[in-house]
Amino acid sequence: MFRRGTFIGKKYNSMLVYSLIGWFGYSLNLMLDSLISGLLFGEEMLAAVAIINPLIGIISFFSYAICPGFSVLFAQAVGQFDRKHASDIAGQSLVITTATSFVVALALFAIKEPFLVFFECTGDIYASASSYYNWTIAIALSVPLFANISCFVTSDGDGKIMACATISQVVINVILSIVLSKPFGVGGLAMATAIATFICVLVYYSHLFKKSNTIRFSFHFRWADIKQSIILSLNYCSRSLFVTLLDFILNKAVLVFCGLAFIPAYSIVNFVFAIFELYGAVADSAQGMLSSFLGERNNHAIRLLVRHVLKALCLVGVGLFLLFFFLAPLVPKIYGIVSPDVVSACIRTSRILSLCSIVYGVMYVANMNYTAIEHPYLSILSAFLCELFGPLLSILLGKRFGFDGIAWGITIGEYIGLGLFLLILRMRFGKKGFPLYLPESEEEILSFDSTVTDDTIVSLRNQVLHEMDKRQFTNAKAGLLVEELLTRIRDRNPGKAVLTELTLFFSDNRMRLIVRDNGVIFDYINEDNQADSLNAYVLSSILSKIQSKNYIVTTSFNRNGFIFTKD
């Protein structure tokens, strides 16, 4: 009757579906300008866009320098039932990311000419790159705002809004790119991206009007929150920095070892790694739940969640490998590349890079886990090592074997970096707890999942009483509360198969009880609730005698928390 991890698994799988849609749209959006420029304008204009692409990494670096950390702190505060702190964190994040967008835009404006000189742009390529660069500054205004609200909505468990926002961004971007590219050339592509990103942000903000929304903004600044957020965000922004540096180095390596004609082929490297961003869906689908579980100190739920994450990681990894290995001949056609030598290089590169797909997935999961448990330096180490050896080997092998050598250098470097990271991890922290290294829990944790029916209500009540008796923990109100609360949940959801999860935390002289359900959003412990039935009256009476009780919507679910002491 009772199933372990069903509630967690159902939520994670639901988020994963929406996240895969959202991240696929995000990946498509990253490479959309390259795709359209190649199809509409040819390889020369594709080279102009490829030269500016590293700037997107710079923008991402500053956009994610704070936002992910704030969203982790937000979810942890929600897990602790601390509404005020959660609102303070959301407000601080909004103000700081808005300021960041203006600072980054001004900085890009200042470095335009040195940037174009560095990549030796001349003639038509210079004119197109310059036009595209101008509107990239507008992109810099929108991306930090996108990063902020997308991180918070994902932590709040709203997968539908995430998918809708990203799909709308891609559709609008495609339409505007086709329309604006005629009068503005490749600059119109960047203009379309900036407009589509602003609209995407507005769609994300529609989450704030939903009943399941937990995000509130209060503008109270705490330096401790900002400092901690920066530390927790280091893995995200450092990864963007490492990838951007890799992009700069490899762009230059292709120019030196292969010539300007192979710059369009290097767009395929960006294409492959953009698709690898789908691993972000595997990690992001769990981030909000993981952080809230840490907030409530629920190691049992974290381990169950990680099992689902690893299963999804394997499925996505196999899928991406097969996709790139067998559909590689289609990739240069998508970009409008026609030169025979460049086409052959693109096909080989797609297949070679498909071999390091799983490394990217492991890195994303490591970022998720070690950031949430407040060991961000481990996330930074994993990103640094995975990106360190790629450029070094690419230069060595590229000098000897040309473009294929660059692709093999990236792939081999990723595996060397991952292997070294796991070795350091094991040597530094030991076998115990490898590889999660969760904080020690002083409580014994038990969890039960079930659909709410007349039979299961009684069974869950009896199970709770049985576990209390086994530990000689007596409290007359606990069993009654479970029965009446679940009955109330059933009555509030007529005709719906509501899934609930009961988690018991036992310590020496107290028991914590957390009850989640996926029914309609309703604050069952609110003192102003109308007693419209005998069950509602009895539940209200029981709740009035329980001193420590809390309710908060968590990842779009009802979540009630109670603390009992021995009678």
Side-chain angles (χ1 to χ4, degrees):
M1 182 178 294
F2 303 125
R3 296 159 291 176
R4 299 176 70 244
T6 306
F7 192 95
I8 294 171
K10 186 172 181 179
K11 177 59 180 177
Y12 176 76
N13 292 335
S14 171
M15 281 293 294
L16 180 62
V17 171
Y18 291 121
S19 292
L20 285 171
I21 295 171
W23 275 86
F24 179 76
Y26 174 74
S27 301
L28 185 59
N29 207 58
L30 284 177
M31 57 194 173
L32 199 56
D33 289 355
S34 296
L35 287 170
I36 295 177
S37 63
L39 291 172
L40 295 183
F41 302 108
E43 294 180 23
E44 196 171 74
M45 296 303 99
L46 175 58
V49 173
I51 286 169
I52 306 300
N53 266 339
L55 288 178
I56 303 301
I58 292 175
I59 295 169
S60 295
F61 170 78
F62 287 103
S63 299
Y64 288 94
I66 290 180
C67 301
F70 270 124
S71 67
V72 169
L73 293 177
F74 168 81
Q76 289 182 1
V78 170
Q80 296 163 357
F81 294 97
D82 193 341
R83 293 174 183 269
K84 184 180 185 307
H85 192 201
S87 299
D88 289 347
I89 289 167
Q92 292 173 86
S93 181
L94 178 61
V95 171
I96 292 173
T97 51
T98 302
T100 299
S101 66
F102 286 99
V103 172
V104 173
L106 289 172
L108 291 184
F109 178 79
I111 67 168
K112 176 183 175 181
E113 288 305 321
F115 180 89
L116 295 176
V117 169
F118 176 80
F119 281 106
E120 304 171 12
C121 297
T122 57
D124 290 341
I125 291 181
Y126 175 86
S128 298
S130 178
S131 174
Y132 190 83
Y133 191 110
N134 291 336
W135 283 101
T136 300
I137 296 172
I139 295 174
L141 290 170
S142 60
V143 170
L145 301 176
F146 163 81
N148 180 62
I149 189 62
S150 64
C151 285
F152 273 84
V153 171
T154 301
S155 288
D156 213 24
D158 195 342
K160 291 181 181 178
I161 286 292
M162 176 174 57
C164 290
T166 313
I167 290 171
S168 65
Q169 182 183 24
V170 172
V171 172
I172 293 169
N173 200 351
V174 170
I175 295 171
L176 291 180
S177 292
I178 295 171
V179 172
L180 296 175
S181 63
K182 293 180 180 179
F184 299 105
V186 293
L189 303 181
M191 189 191 309
T193 299
I195 295 171
T197 305
F198 275 115
I199 294 173
C200 176
V201 170
L202 295 177
V203 176
Y204 265 112
Y205 269 101
S206 67
H207 169 77
L208 303 184
F209 300 98
K210 297 179 71 172
K211 196 172 183 180
S212 59
N213 170 53
T214 317
I215 304 169
R216 303 287 189 275
F217 299 103
S218 61
F219 302 101
H220 179 79
F221 286 87
R222 293 188 181 93
W223 171 242
D225 287 340
I226 298 171
K227 180 181 178 182
Q228 192 176 7
S229 174
I230 293 172
I231 293 172
L232 292 175
S233 298
L234 281 175
N235 72 298
Y236 291 90
C237 61
S238 62
R239 179 181 169 275
S240 295
L241 178 62
F242 298 148
V243 171
T244 301
L245 291 174
L246 174 68
D247 212 6
F248 272 112
I249 293 169
L250 295 182
N251 246 322
K252 194 69 174 179
V254 172
L255 279 172
V256 173
F257 299 135
C258 308
L260 188 61
F262 275 81
I263 286 291
Y266 181 67
S267 296
I268 304 305
V269 176
N270 289 325
F271 170 81
V272 172
F273 285 120
I275 296 297
F276 283 177
E277 293 294 319
L278 284 175
Y279 284 114
V282 176
D284 270 10
S285 300
Q287 186 68 72
M289 286 189 289
L290 177 64
S291 298
S292 65
F293 290 149
L294 280 162
E296 66 185 39
R297 305 187 303 280
N298 191 345
N299 288 358
H300 171 78
I302 292 171
R303 291 189 179 94
L304 290 175
L305 177 61
V306 169
R307 290 178 196 172
H308 290 285
V309 172
L310 294 178
K311 290 177 183 178
L313 175 66
C314 293
L315 289 172
V316 173
V318 171
L320 289 178
F321 169 75
L322 295 175
L323 176 72
F324 282 113
F325 194 84
F326 290 105
L327 299 183
L330 297 178
V331 176
K333 293 180 181 179
I334 294 173
Y335 274 85
I337 296 172
V338 294
S339 301
D341 290 343
V342 180
V343 168
S344 297
C346 291
I347 294 172
R348 292 193 300 273
T349 297
S350 296
R351 287 174 171 162
I352 293 169
L353 293 179
S354 70
L355 298 173
C356 68
S357 161
I358 195 67
V359 179
Y360 249 64
V362 172
M363 187 173 69
Y364 262 112
V365 172
N367 287 346
M368 171 201 75
N369 178 67
Y370 298 126
T371 297
I373 64 174
E374 299 187 14
H375 289 317
Y377 61 91
L378 293 177
S379 300
I380 297 168
L381 180 63
S382 72
F384 174 72
L385 291 175
C386 286
E387 303 300 337
L388 171 66
F389 295 99
L392 296 176
L393 290 175
S394 294
I395 292 172
L396 293 175
L397 296 178
K399 191 174 182 180
R400 180 74 182 273
F401 302 105
F403 199 82
D404 286 1
I406 292 174
W408 277 113
I410 296 171
T411 300
I412 296 171
E414 294 281 342
Y415 276 98
I416 292 174
L418 176 62
L420 187 58
F421 170 69
L422 294 176
L423 179 63
I424 293 173
L425 203 62
R426 187 69 176 267
M427 293 175 63
R428 172 65 178 83
F429 295 99
K431 181 179 179 180
K432 185 179 179 182
F434 178 85
L436 296 180
Y437 298 117
L438 296 173
E440 292 287 336
S441 175
E442 298 178 355
E443 297 172 303
E444 182 185 0
I445 305 172
L446 301 169
S447 181
F448 309 99
D449 296 34
S450 181
T451 305
V452 180
T453 65
D454 291 341
D455 292 337
T456 58
I457 289 172
V458 175
S459 298
L460 284 167
R461 179 204 62 192
N462 292 340
Q463 187 67 37
V464 170
L465 293 174
H466 172 69
E467 298 298 340
M468 292 169 61
D469 289 342
K470 281 172 61 177
R471 292 156 184 80
Q472 298 180 338
F473 190 99
T474 55
N475 188 296
K477 295 185 287 292
L480 286 172
L481 173 70
V482 169
E483 182 174 4
E484 297 302 330
L485 178 58
L486 293 180
T487 301
R488 185 66 170 154
I489 291 172
R490 181 204 61 193
D491 292 346
R492 292 285 305 181
N493 296 271
K496 181 179 179 181
V498 177
L499 189 64
T500 188
E501 179 194 69
L502 273 65
T503 307
L504 308 175
F505 302 78
F506 287 101
S507 57
D508 290 338
N509 59 358
R510 76 170 193 170
M511 178 188 78
R512 288 194 296 136
L513 168 66
I514 291 181
V515 181
R516 307 176 214 272
D517 74 85
N518 65 351
V520 296
I521 300 300
F522 186 76
D523 185 352
Y524 291 97
I525 68 172
N526 192 325
E527 295 179 355
D528 295 329
N529 288 341
Q530 187 176 10
D532 53 4
S533 66
L534 178 60
N535 162 250
Y537 177 80
V538 173
L539 177 62
S540 177
S541 178
I542 296 170
L543 289 171
S544 66
K545 298 173 183 176
I546 299 174
Q547 296 297 319
S548 183
K549 54 184 180 290
N550 285 287
Y551 168 85
I552 193 169
V553 178
T554 308
T555 59
S556 299
F557 288 143
N558 293 307
R559 179 165 159 268
N560 300 273
F562 309 92
I563 296 178
F564 299 95
T565 55
K566 289 184 178 180
D567 287 338

PDB file of all heavy atoms in Angstrom, residues 4 64 82 102 111 155 182 191 205-206 218 235 237 260 293 301 331 336 455 457 459 491 538 549 553 557 562:
ATOM      1  N   ARG A   4       7.646   3.939  -1.589  1.00  0.00           N
ATOM      2  CA  ARG A   4       8.719   4.860  -1.243  1.00  0.00           C
ATOM      3  C   ARG A   4       9.098   5.702  -2.464  1.00  0.00           C
ATOM      4  O   ARG A   4       9.448   5.168  -3.505  1.00  0.00           O
ATOM      5  CB  ARG A   4       9.948   4.093  -0.738  1.00  0.00           C
ATOM      6  CG  ARG A   4       9.671   3.281   0.491  1.00  0.00           C
ATOM      7  CD  ARG A   4      10.872   2.449   0.908  1.00  0.00           C
ATOM      8  NE  ARG A   4      11.947   3.270   1.430  1.00  0.00           N
ATOM      9  CZ  ARG A   4      13.141   3.387   0.876  1.00  0.00           C
ATOM     10  NH1 ARG A   4      13.395   2.758  -0.259  1.00  0.00           N
ATOM     11  NH2 ARG A   4      14.077   4.137   1.402  1.00  0.00           N
ATOM     12  N   TYR A  64      24.495  34.832 -14.266  1.00  0.00           N
ATOM     13  CA  TYR A  64      24.377  33.737 -13.312  1.00  0.00           C
ATOM     14  C   TYR A  64      25.367  33.861 -12.158  1.00  0.00           C
ATOM     15  O   TYR A  64      25.611  32.894 -11.441  1.00  0.00           O
ATOM     16  CB  TYR A  64      24.560  32.399 -14.026  1.00  0.00           C
ATOM     17  CG  TYR A  64      23.378  32.050 -14.897  1.00  0.00           C
ATOM     18  CD1 TYR A  64      23.362  32.375 -16.246  1.00  0.00           C
ATOM     19  CD2 TYR A  64      22.258  31.423 -14.360  1.00  0.00           C
ATOM     20  CE1 TYR A  64      22.273  32.080 -17.050  1.00  0.00           C
ATOM     21  CE2 TYR A  64      21.165  31.133 -15.149  1.00  0.00           C
ATOM     22  CZ  TYR A  64      21.178  31.465 -16.494  1.00  0.00           C
ATOM     23  OH  TYR A  64      20.093  31.182 -17.277  1.00  0.00           O
ATOM     24  N   ASP A  82      10.134  29.589   6.322  1.00  0.00           N
ATOM     25  CA  ASP A  82      10.477  30.981   6.642  1.00  0.00           C
ATOM     26  C   ASP A  82      10.052  31.876   5.488  1.00  0.00           C
ATOM     27  O   ASP A  82      10.840  32.214   4.598  1.00  0.00           O
ATOM     28  CB  ASP A  82      11.979  31.089   6.900  1.00  0.00           C
ATOM     29  CG  ASP A  82      12.367  32.418   7.535  1.00  0.00           C
ATOM     30  OD1 ASP A  82      11.562  33.376   7.440  1.00  0.00           O
ATOM     31  OD2 ASP A  82      13.467  32.516   8.106  1.00  0.00           O
ATOM     32  N   PHE A 102      22.401  46.482 -16.577  1.00  0.00           N
ATOM     33  CA  PHE A 102      22.872  47.770 -17.097  1.00  0.00           C
ATOM     34  C   PHE A 102      24.405  47.852 -17.089  1.00  0.00           C
ATOM     35  O   PHE A 102      25.009  48.366 -18.025  1.00  0.00           O
ATOM     36  CB  PHE A 102      22.280  48.923 -16.279  1.00  0.00           C
ATOM     37  CG  PHE A 102      20.831  49.180 -16.568  1.00  0.00           C
ATOM     38  CD1 PHE A 102      19.849  48.674 -15.727  1.00  0.00           C
ATOM     39  CD2 PHE A 102      20.443  49.906 -17.681  1.00  0.00           C
ATOM     40  CE1 PHE A 102      18.506  48.888 -16.003  1.00  0.00           C
ATOM     41  CE2 PHE A 102      19.107  50.140 -17.967  1.00  0.00           C
ATOM     42  CZ  PHE A 102      18.130  49.623 -17.112  1.00  0.00           C
ATOM     43  N   ILE A 111      33.942  47.835 -24.921  1.00  0.00           N
ATOM     44  CA  ILE A 111      34.999  46.959 -25.450  1.00  0.00           C
ATOM     45  C   ILE A 111      34.750  46.531 -26.895  1.00  0.00           C
ATOM     46  O   ILE A 111      35.443  45.642 -27.402  1.00  0.00           O
ATOM     47  CB  ILE A 111      35.165  45.698 -24.577  1.00  0.00           C
ATOM     48  CG1 ILE A 111      33.907  44.811 -24.679  1.00  0.00           C
ATOM     49  CG2 ILE A 111      35.479  46.056 -23.139  1.00  0.00           C
ATOM     50  CD1 ILE A 111      34.088  43.432 -24.106  1.00  0.00           C
ATOM     51  N   SER A 155      12.656  26.939  -9.189  1.00  0.00           N
ATOM     52  CA  SER A 155      12.717  26.539  -7.777  1.00  0.00           C
ATOM     53  C   SER A 155      11.335  26.448  -7.163  1.00  0.00           C
ATOM     54  O   SER A 155      11.111  25.662  -6.237  1.00  0.00           O
ATOM     55  CB  SER A 155      13.559  27.541  -6.978  1.00  0.00           C
ATOM     56  OG  SER A 155      14.922  27.407  -7.279  1.00  0.00           O
ATOM     57  N   LYS A 182      15.693  40.961 -43.015  1.00  0.00           N
ATOM     58  CA  LYS A 182      15.633  41.564 -44.356  1.00  0.00           C
ATOM     59  C   LYS A 182      16.113  43.011 -44.351  1.00  0.00           C
ATOM     60  O   LYS A 182      16.979  43.383 -45.146  1.00  0.00           O
ATOM     61  CB  LYS A 182      14.213  41.449 -44.908  1.00  0.00           C
ATOM     62  CG  LYS A 182      13.799  40.009 -45.188  1.00  0.00           C
ATOM     63  CD  LYS A 182      12.381  39.930 -45.744  1.00  0.00           C
ATOM     64  CE  LYS A 182      11.993  38.469 -46.014  1.00  0.00           C
ATOM     65  NZ  LYS A 182      10.608  38.359 -46.546  1.00  0.00           N
ATOM     66  N   MET A 191      18.630  41.563 -32.771  1.00  0.00           N
ATOM     67  CA  MET A 191      17.488  42.374 -32.348  1.00  0.00           C
ATOM     68  C   MET A 191      16.308  41.482 -31.989  1.00  0.00           C
ATOM     69  O   MET A 191      15.641  41.677 -30.960  1.00  0.00           O
ATOM     70  CB  MET A 191      17.101  43.336 -33.474  1.00  0.00           C
ATOM     71  CG  MET A 191      16.074  44.388 -33.083  1.00  0.00           C
ATOM     72  SD  MET A 191      15.414  45.302 -34.512  1.00  0.00           S
ATOM     73  CE  MET A 191      16.910  45.806 -35.349  1.00  0.00           C
ATOM     74  N   TYR A 205       6.946  35.945 -15.546  1.00  0.00           N
ATOM     75  CA  TYR A 205       6.362  36.718 -14.448  1.00  0.00           C
ATOM     76  C   TYR A 205       4.872  36.427 -14.268  1.00  0.00           C
ATOM     77  O   TYR A 205       4.308  36.746 -13.213  1.00  0.00           O
ATOM     78  CB  TYR A 205       6.591  38.215 -14.658  1.00  0.00           C
ATOM     79  CG  TYR A 205       7.861  38.705 -14.010  1.00  0.00           C
ATOM     80  CD1 TYR A 205       9.010  38.920 -14.764  1.00  0.00           C
ATOM     81  CD2 TYR A 205       7.929  38.923 -12.643  1.00  0.00           C
ATOM     82  CE1 TYR A 205      10.184  39.349 -14.176  1.00  0.00           C
ATOM     83  CE2 TYR A 205       9.098  39.359 -12.048  1.00  0.00           C
ATOM     84  CZ  TYR A 205      10.227  39.563 -12.817  1.00  0.00           C
ATOM     85  OH  TYR A 205      11.388  39.986 -12.229  1.00  0.00           O
ATOM     86  N   SER A 206       4.225  35.813 -15.257  1.00  0.00           N
ATOM     87  CA  SER A 206       2.818  35.446 -15.084  1.00  0.00           C
ATOM     88  C   SER A 206       2.648  34.410 -13.967  1.00  0.00           C
ATOM     89  O   SER A 206       1.550  34.259 -13.416  1.00  0.00           O
ATOM     90  CB  SER A 206       2.244  34.909 -16.403  1.00  0.00           C
ATOM     91  OG  SER A 206       2.840  33.668 -16.758  1.00  0.00           O
ATOM     92  N   SER A 218      10.193  41.468  -1.102  1.00  0.00           N
ATOM     93  CA  SER A 218      10.337  42.493  -0.064  1.00  0.00           C
ATOM     94  C   SER A 218      11.775  42.979  -0.122  1.00  0.00           C
ATOM     95  O   SER A 218      12.701  42.175  -0.166  1.00  0.00           O
ATOM     96  CB  SER A 218       9.998  41.941   1.325  1.00  0.00           C
ATOM     97  OG  SER A 218      10.859  40.880   1.683  1.00  0.00           O
ATOM     98  N   ASN A 235      29.607  28.273  -9.008  1.00  0.00           N
ATOM     99  CA  ASN A 235      29.763  27.152  -9.940  1.00  0.00           C
ATOM    100  C   ASN A 235      29.104  27.458 -11.292  1.00  0.00           C
ATOM    101  O   ASN A 235      29.618  27.101 -12.337  1.00  0.00           O
ATOM    102  CB  ASN A 235      29.180  25.875  -9.347  1.00  0.00           C
ATOM    103  CG  ASN A 235      27.673  25.888  -9.292  1.00  0.00           C
ATOM    104  OD1 ASN A 235      27.085  26.731  -8.625  1.00  0.00           O
ATOM    105  ND2 ASN A 235      27.030  24.968  -9.979  1.00  0.00           N
ATOM    106  N   CYS A 237      28.431  30.579 -12.673  1.00  0.00           N
ATOM    107  CA  CYS A 237      29.117  31.619 -13.426  1.00  0.00           C
ATOM    108  C   CYS A 237      30.525  31.188 -13.794  1.00  0.00           C
ATOM    109  O   CYS A 237      31.036  31.554 -14.864  1.00  0.00           O
ATOM    110  CB  CYS A 237      29.123  32.929 -12.657  1.00  0.00           C
ATOM    111  SG  CYS A 237      29.964  32.884 -11.071  1.00  0.00           S
ATOM    112  N   LEU A 260      40.170  30.715 -41.858  1.00  0.00           N
ATOM    113  CA  LEU A 260      38.847  31.326 -41.711  1.00  0.00           C
ATOM    114  C   LEU A 260      37.739  30.468 -42.304  1.00  0.00           C
ATOM    115  O   LEU A 260      36.601  30.488 -41.842  1.00  0.00           O
ATOM    116  CB  LEU A 260      38.848  32.703 -42.372  1.00  0.00           C
ATOM    117  CG  LEU A 260      37.597  33.578 -42.156  1.00  0.00           C
ATOM    118  CD1 LEU A 260      37.391  33.876 -40.687  1.00  0.00           C
ATOM    119  CD2 LEU A 260      37.720  34.879 -42.958  1.00  0.00           C
ATOM    120  N   PHE A 293      14.290  20.234   0.481  1.00  0.00           N
ATOM    121  CA  PHE A 293      14.578  19.077   1.337  1.00  0.00           C
ATOM    122  C   PHE A 293      15.744  19.370   2.265  1.00  0.00           C
ATOM    123  O   PHE A 293      15.745  18.946   3.433  1.00  0.00           O
ATOM    124  CB  PHE A 293      14.893  17.844   0.492  1.00  0.00           C
ATOM    125  CG  PHE A 293      13.705  17.268  -0.244  1.00  0.00           C
ATOM    126  CD1 PHE A 293      13.873  16.625  -1.456  1.00  0.00           C
ATOM    127  CD2 PHE A 293      12.434  17.368   0.272  1.00  0.00           C
ATOM    128  CE1 PHE A 293      12.794  16.099  -2.137  1.00  0.00           C
ATOM    129  CE2 PHE A 293      11.336  16.858  -0.386  1.00  0.00           C
ATOM    130  CZ  PHE A 293      11.522  16.219  -1.602  1.00  0.00           C
ATOM    131  N   ALA A 301      14.729  11.968   1.645  1.00  0.00           N
ATOM    132  CA  ALA A 301      14.099  12.415   0.399  1.00  0.00           C
ATOM    133  C   ALA A 301      15.144  12.786  -0.644  1.00  0.00           C
ATOM    134  O   ALA A 301      14.950  12.555  -1.846  1.00  0.00           O
ATOM    135  CB  ALA A 301      13.190  13.617   0.674  1.00  0.00           C
ATOM    136  N   VAL A 331      23.535  17.802 -39.720  1.00  0.00           N
ATOM    137  CA  VAL A 331      23.943  19.018 -39.015  1.00  0.00           C
ATOM    138  C   VAL A 331      24.455  20.100 -39.962  1.00  0.00           C
ATOM    139  O   VAL A 331      24.001  21.249 -39.901  1.00  0.00           O
ATOM    140  CB  VAL A 331      24.982  18.681 -37.927  1.00  0.00           C
ATOM    141  CG1 VAL A 331      25.478  19.966 -37.255  1.00  0.00           C
ATOM    142  CG2 VAL A 331      24.378  17.744 -36.882  1.00  0.00           C
ATOM    143  N   GLY A 336      23.367  25.263 -43.458  1.00  0.00           N
ATOM    144  CA  GLY A 336      23.572  25.752 -44.813  1.00  0.00           C
ATOM    145  C   GLY A 336      25.020  25.696 -45.266  1.00  0.00           C
ATOM    146  O   GLY A 336      25.438  26.452 -46.150  1.00  0.00           O
ATOM    147  N   ASP A 455      -9.566   3.973   3.012  1.00  0.00           N
ATOM    148  CA  ASP A 455      -8.729   2.899   3.564  1.00  0.00           C
ATOM    149  C   ASP A 455      -7.333   3.389   3.903  1.00  0.00           C
ATOM    150  O   ASP A 455      -6.783   3.055   4.960  1.00  0.00           O
ATOM    151  CB  ASP A 455      -8.640   1.733   2.569  1.00  0.00           C
ATOM    152  CG  ASP A 455      -9.969   1.012   2.408  1.00  0.00           C
ATOM    153  OD1 ASP A 455     -10.804   1.099   3.341  1.00  0.00           O
ATOM    154  OD2 ASP A 455     -10.174   0.381   1.356  1.00  0.00           O
ATOM    155  N   ILE A 457      -6.308   6.390   4.562  1.00  0.00           N
ATOM    156  CA  ILE A 457      -6.297   7.350   5.675  1.00  0.00           C
ATOM    157  C   ILE A 457      -6.115   6.612   6.994  1.00  0.00           C
ATOM    158  O   ILE A 457      -5.276   6.972   7.827  1.00  0.00           O
ATOM    159  CB  ILE A 457      -7.595   8.185   5.684  1.00  0.00           C
ATOM    160  CG1 ILE A 457      -7.600   9.173   4.513  1.00  0.00           C
ATOM    161  CG2 ILE A 457      -7.740   8.949   7.006  1.00  0.00           C
ATOM    162  CD1 ILE A 457      -8.924   9.897   4.330  1.00  0.00           C
ATOM    163  N   SER A 459      -4.980   3.529   7.327  1.00  0.00           N
ATOM    164  CA  SER A 459      -3.699   2.811   7.304  1.00  0.00           C
ATOM    165  C   SER A 459      -2.530   3.733   7.626  1.00  0.00           C
ATOM    166  O   SER A 459      -1.612   3.362   8.368  1.00  0.00           O
ATOM    167  CB  SER A 459      -3.488   2.172   5.930  1.00  0.00           C
ATOM    168  OG  SER A 459      -4.496   1.228   5.657  1.00  0.00           O
ATOM    169  N   ASP A 491     -11.705  15.532   1.260  1.00  0.00           N
ATOM    170  CA  ASP A 491     -12.965  16.245   1.058  1.00  0.00           C
ATOM    171  C   ASP A 491     -12.795  17.500   0.198  1.00  0.00           C
ATOM    172  O   ASP A 491     -13.741  17.909  -0.500  1.00  0.00           O
ATOM    173  CB  ASP A 491     -13.560  16.642   2.416  1.00  0.00           C
ATOM    174  CG  ASP A 491     -14.018  15.426   3.223  1.00  0.00           C
ATOM    175  OD1 ASP A 491     -14.128  14.333   2.630  1.00  0.00           O
ATOM    176  OD2 ASP A 491     -14.229  15.571   4.438  1.00  0.00           O
ATOM    177  N   VAL A 538     -13.457  19.379  13.839  1.00  0.00           N
ATOM    178  CA  VAL A 538     -12.556  18.538  14.649  1.00  0.00           C
ATOM    179  C   VAL A 538     -11.096  18.885  14.347  1.00  0.00           C
ATOM    180  O   VAL A 538     -10.269  19.008  15.259  1.00  0.00           O
ATOM    181  CB  VAL A 538     -12.821  17.039  14.372  1.00  0.00           C
ATOM    182  CG1 VAL A 538     -11.785  16.169  15.073  1.00  0.00           C
ATOM    183  CG2 VAL A 538     -14.228  16.658  14.818  1.00  0.00           C
ATOM    184  N   LYS A 549       3.200  24.697  14.339  1.00  0.00           N
ATOM    185  CA  LYS A 549       2.608  24.247  13.072  1.00  0.00           C
ATOM    186  C   LYS A 549       2.856  25.312  12.009  1.00  0.00           C
ATOM    187  O   LYS A 549       2.871  26.508  12.305  1.00  0.00           O
ATOM    188  CB  LYS A 549       1.112  23.984  13.232  1.00  0.00           C
ATOM    189  CG  LYS A 549       0.304  25.139  13.803  1.00  0.00           C
ATOM    190  CD  LYS A 549      -1.134  24.742  14.013  1.00  0.00           C
ATOM    191  CE  LYS A 549      -1.956  25.890  14.598  1.00  0.00           C
ATOM    192  NZ  LYS A 549      -1.589  26.189  15.992  1.00  0.00           N
ATOM    193  N   VAL A 553       3.193  26.772   0.534  1.00  0.00           N
ATOM    194  CA  VAL A 553       3.231  26.076  -0.757  1.00  0.00           C
ATOM    195  C   VAL A 553       4.694  25.872  -1.126  1.00  0.00           C
ATOM    196  O   VAL A 553       5.489  26.812  -1.090  1.00  0.00           O
ATOM    197  CB  VAL A 553       2.520  26.906  -1.850  1.00  0.00           C
ATOM    198  CG1 VAL A 553       2.623  26.194  -3.195  1.00  0.00           C
ATOM    199  CG2 VAL A 553       1.071  27.146  -1.478  1.00  0.00           C
ATOM    200  N   PHE A 557       3.162  22.483  -4.322  1.00  0.00           N
ATOM    201  CA  PHE A 557       2.366  21.541  -3.533  1.00  0.00           C
ATOM    202  C   PHE A 557       2.026  22.138  -2.176  1.00  0.00           C
ATOM    203  O   PHE A 557       2.738  22.998  -1.655  1.00  0.00           O
ATOM    204  CB  PHE A 557       3.134  20.239  -3.289  1.00  0.00           C
ATOM    205  CG  PHE A 557       3.278  19.363  -4.497  1.00  0.00           C
ATOM    206  CD1 PHE A 557       4.445  18.656  -4.716  1.00  0.00           C
ATOM    207  CD2 PHE A 557       2.251  19.234  -5.407  1.00  0.00           C
ATOM    208  CE1 PHE A 557       4.585  17.835  -5.815  1.00  0.00           C
ATOM    209  CE2 PHE A 557       2.375  18.425  -6.521  1.00  0.00           C
ATOM    210  CZ  PHE A 557       3.549  17.720  -6.724  1.00  0.00           C
ATOM    211  N   PHE A 562       4.543  20.043  11.406  1.00  0.00           N
ATOM    212  CA  PHE A 562       4.127  20.024  12.811  1.00  0.00           C
ATOM    213  C   PHE A 562       5.272  19.463  13.661  1.00  0.00           C
ATOM    214  O   PHE A 562       6.053  18.627  13.191  1.00  0.00           O
ATOM    215  CB  PHE A 562       2.890  19.143  13.011  1.00  0.00           C
ATOM    216  CG  PHE A 562       1.758  19.457  12.077  1.00  0.00           C
ATOM    217  CD1 PHE A 562       1.639  18.774  10.865  1.00  0.00           C
ATOM    218  CD2 PHE A 562       0.825  20.427  12.389  1.00  0.00           C
ATOM    219  CE1 PHE A 562       0.601  19.047   9.996  1.00  0.00           C
ATOM    220  CE2 PHE A 562      -0.216  20.716  11.512  1.00  0.00           C
ATOM    221  CZ  PHE A 562      -0.333  20.025  10.311  1.00  0.00           C
TER     222      PHE A 562
END
